[in-house]
Amino acid sequence: MPETKFEVGMTCDGCANAVKRILGKIDGVSNVDTNVEAKTVVVTADDSISPEFMLEKLQKWGNAAGKSVALAQ
């Protein structure tokens, strides 16, 4: 299963838990690893889930919470 990395402006465990909850609801996502200090999220998902779809879900939360969200380069 491919991994997708995001840069997310998480500042606390509450942010990390929100990200895990949002991405964990997507069918096909098998694992979500968050690192608050590095502000990164690594998602393991099957090929049917595009990085852009996951990014869209995270951006909805990011816009509401005032957090930055981007695909990692």
Side-chain angles (χ1 to χ4, degrees):
M1 290 188 168
E3 289 186 344
T4 305
K5 187 173 182 179
F6 296 94
E7 295 172 353
V8 180
M10 299 176 292
T11 55
C12 65
D13 288 338
C15 296
N17 289 333
V19 168
K20 287 180 182 180
R21 187 172 56 253
I22 291 162
L23 294 172
K25 289 181 180 180
I26 301 172
D27 287 337
V29 171
S30 60
N31 191 49
V32 180
D33 286 322
T34 58
N35 184 323
V36 175
E37 284 186 20
K39 299 187 182 308
T40 59
V41 177
V42 178
V43 183
T44 306
D46 63 36
D47 291 330
S48 67
I49 310 300
S50 73
E52 292 77 15
F53 178 76
M54 292 185 283
L55 179 62
E56 182 181 314
K57 296 292 186 186
L58 284 178
Q59 283 177 329
K60 287 181 184 178
W61 165 81
N63 289 339
K67 307 293 182 185
S68 61
V69 178
L71 277 168
Q73 299 297 322

